[in-house]
Amino acid sequence: MTSLTLFDTMARRKRDFEPTDPGRVTMYVCGPTVYSYAHIGNARPAVVFDTLFRVLRRLYGADQVIYARNITDVDDKIIETARESGKPIEDITTHYADIYRADMGALGVTLPTIEPHATDHIPEMIGMVQNLVYGGHAYEADGHVLFDVASYEKYGRLSNRDLDDMIAGARVEVASYKRNPADFVLWKPAKDDEPGWESPWGRGRPGWHLECSAMSEKHLGKTIDIHGGGTDLVFPHHENEIAQSVCAHKGAPMANYWLHNGFLTMGTDKMSKSLGNVQLVHELIKDHPGEVLRYALLTAHYRAPLTWTADLLAKTRRSLDRVYGVLRRLGDVEATPGDVPAAFLEALHDDLNTPKALSELFQLAGNANKAVSDVEKARAKGELLAAASLLGLGQSDPDAWFGLTDLDPAERAKIDDLIIRRQTAREGKDWATADAVRDELNALKVQVDDGPEGSTWRKLD
Ligand SMILES: [Zn+2]
């Protein structure tokens, strides 16, 4: 059995994963701010950490892994959206949180164990700020409470920056009431028409970074095993979470492993709202099965950038067609419940190497396709399904995948027969027959697409 290794951003190297308590493995991933639809770049961490969640549950037991992914439901952008639409804030946040859950569900993302909402944790956040003020790590200025970065000597360690560079950097907001330009807001005053809570510093609301520190402690503990998120969160968000939590907890580390997924790019640009090049999950799932999108997100190693193209989706669809084609051929075979094959597992255990795992999955599909005896077929199908499920793939009904569920057996058999005839004709370079059979298939509302890597087909509604 190979052990799980994970690349720890803090250590800047792969480390063997050893949870503090194998009976209670804890993971926190920064979740969405719910004021609009998630784009496919936002879905990448959800899918990556869902895959890790599956791997951890397999290793430690389904009930032994506690995964928290928060909902940020108080934020400037939410307030602005509510103002523009004239709707109450709760309507906006409930609406988009529901859509987020449904969209991620379509991508096969399992619900996390806990989904804490920021607005349900205001007393905990106020308590943490008080703790930081008493400890000399935070100060009140102009109605705000700010974290004093100079009070934490390891500030900048995660992102490998030093304080002087940060002060020179443009990303920190400079306000006159700050002692140091890199000091960040823990609590800020709320205007009368903004959501706010009474606090020792007047009516106000929490800073974004504070939310995660308070919710992570409340649900998972002072030091957790894994903290994850997109690489864009390393600085300042995670750096600030660490500063708050470590200083509030007398030096206890916030997390033992820090994991970050890479960007999703459109050509050479990062996909982002500000660049106007976003593709919304909500729209993509109208044109593609969610499983195709999930698979596409797993084609690159999670730490590498992933270039999102139409071609990637077409290729991904063909790959899944192959897997489901094999499962469909073995439709009558009862799979032997097997363990996940070693080579496949080794790939995932090597810092979640999903491209390697996907190529192993194809190997398994090939084995299942070549299996001759009933015993071999049952075992190969079992291995294929067990491996695929760790990636959150391959669990749909193969007939449904090809659009065949509502057909009577005779029509289904006729389509199968035509598909085989066409394949044989193409292999024999008998293009005239292949075209004639395609017309017959089209007449049965079966769409056939030929590509450089073979043909795909599916029954249209
Ligand atoms: Zn966070």
Side-chain angles (χ1 to χ4, degrees):
M1 172 62 63
T2 59
S3 59
L4 173 64
T5 61
L6 297 170
F7 187 93
D8 176 14
T9 307
M10 185 71 91
R12 301 182 222 300
R13 63 178 171 86
K14 274 193 229 176
R15 296 169 55 213
D16 282 340
F17 178 65
E18 285 165 21
T20 304
D21 174 6
R24 190 174 186 272
V25 180
T26 49
M27 173 161 82
Y28 185 97
V29 174
C30 300
T33 300
V34 282
Y35 67 100
S36 66
Y37 295 98
H39 64 67
I40 191 70
N42 302 139
R44 194 176 186 195
V47 166
V48 162
F49 290 103
D50 175 65
T51 306
L52 179 58
F53 186 36
R54 289 166 187 264
V55 170
L56 292 170
R57 281 158 64 108
R58 190 197 155 274
L59 278 171
Y60 298 97
D63 298 330
Q64 274 63 49
V65 185
I66 319 293
Y67 171 23
R69 187 188 64 202
N70 68 290
I71 297 276
T72 291
D73 57 355
V74 54
D75 177 88
D76 289 343
K77 287 177 246 129
I78 296 173
I79 295 169
E80 204 180 294
T81 306
R83 207 170 272 156
E84 281 166 7
S85 65
K87 288 182 184 148
I89 282 177
E90 294 75 17
D91 288 9
I92 302 284
T93 56
T94 308
H95 176 70
Y96 285 109
D98 287 348
I99 289 173
Y100 181 80
R101 262 180 233 112
D103 286 351
M104 295 310 125
L107 305 191
V109 173
T110 324
L111 275 182
T113 326
I114 312 164
E115 211 178 31
H117 286 56
T119 54
D120 293 335
H121 298 78
I122 302 295
E124 287 85 352
M125 294 177 203
I126 291 174
M128 189 173 249
V129 177
Q130 278 179 310
N131 181 337
L132 290 168
V133 171
Y134 295 149
H137 294 287
Y139 60 94
E140 195 184 348
D142 203 16
H144 295 67
V145 184
L146 294 138
F147 186 90
D148 178 3
V149 293
S151 77
Y152 178 50
E153 60 171 354
K154 289 178 180 168
Y155 190 76
R157 241 189 84 186
L158 181 75
S159 54
N160 209 8
R161 290 160 198 245
D162 74 43
L163 204 51
D164 293 339
D165 290 349
M166 281 183 251
I167 292 167
R171 288 193 65 182
V172 286
E173 178 199 344
V174 180
S176 56
Y177 50 81
K178 289 184 178 182
R179 285 183 195 164
N180 185 321
D183 291 351
F184 57 89
V185 168
L186 298 170
W187 189 264
K188 58 181 156 190
K191 298 190 189 91
D192 289 342
D193 60 343
E194 289 177 353
W197 292 264
E198 290 309 324
S199 82
W201 317 283
R203 189 175 167 277
R205 57 195 170 96
W208 172 44
H209 315 301
L210 181 69
E211 299 176 4
C212 289
S213 283
M215 290 187 278
S216 178
E217 178 194 345
K218 163 97 190 258
H219 296 282
L220 304 179
K222 287 181 177 159
T223 299
I224 66 170
D225 291 310
I226 298 170
H227 191 120
T231 191
D232 51 336
L233 297 184
V234 173
F235 183 83
H237 184 54
H238 287 168
E239 201 71 78
N240 293 352
E241 282 187 26
I242 291 170
Q244 297 159 162
S245 292
V246 171
C247 292
H249 300 144
K250 301 189 166 54
M254 183 183 189
N256 288 326
Y257 298 81
W258 286 86
L259 269 61
H260 294 98
N261 65 275
F263 289 128
L264 191 141
T265 59
M266 296 289 285
T268 52
D269 294 328
K270 182 189 162 192
M271 187 180 285
S272 76
K273 287 202 182 79
S274 53
L275 289 172
N277 60 358
V278 297
Q279 291 192 12
L280 303 178
V281 176
H282 205 66
E283 297 302 319
L284 283 165
I285 55 177
K286 290 175 186 165
D287 297 329
H288 307 274
E291 203 172 331
V292 167
L293 305 174
R294 180 183 182 97
Y295 189 118
L297 288 170
L298 295 173
T299 52
H301 187 274
Y302 78 89
R303 285 191 286 120
L306 171 63
T307 308
W308 194 257
T309 60
D311 191 47
L312 172 67
L313 293 181
K315 247 165 136 168
T316 296
R317 177 140 209 172
R318 276 196 289 276
S319 302
L320 278 168
D321 276 358
R322 226 178 107 198
V323 172
Y324 276 113
V326 171
L327 289 172
R328 193 161 168 261
R329 270 194 288 284
L330 299 178
D332 296 334
V333 175
E334 194 172 333
T336 309
D339 208 3
V340 181
F344 176 86
L345 205 53
E346 218 166 276
L348 278 186
H349 281 186
D350 180 13
D351 192 30
L352 225 58
N353 189 340
T354 54
K356 180 97 188 295
L358 285 169
S359 84
E360 290 295 336
L361 188 73
F362 271 88
Q363 198 74 36
L364 295 170
N367 294 348
N369 206 27
K370 280 183 292 202
V372 181
S373 73
D374 288 349
V375 176
E376 269 177 359
K377 282 182 186 167
R379 196 184 52 219
K381 185 179 176 183
E383 288 186 341
L384 176 59
L385 285 172
S389 108
L390 259 192
L391 294 171
L393 302 171
Q395 309 303 305
S396 308
D397 169 19
D399 273 344
W401 179 262
F402 292 102
L404 301 175
T405 15
D406 298 329
L407 300 186
D408 64 65
E411 195 179 358
R412 204 179 305 185
K414 190 174 177 195
I415 291 172
D416 277 340
D417 180 52
L418 288 169
I419 295 289
I420 292 167
R421 270 176 53 202
R422 184 159 189 274
Q423 204 178 321
T424 312
R426 277 172 64 85
E427 278 162 14
K429 300 196 192 308
D430 178 358
W431 309 120
T433 305
D435 286 350
V437 177
R438 190 191 51 213
D439 292 343
E440 275 186 72
L441 283 164
N442 289 348
L444 293 169
K445 285 195 178 170
V446 173
Q447 182 191 313
V448 181
D449 294 306
D450 296 322
E453 282 139 77
S455 305
T456 63
W457 60 275
R458 67 197 358 92
K459 177 87 169 70
L460 303 174
D461 299 334

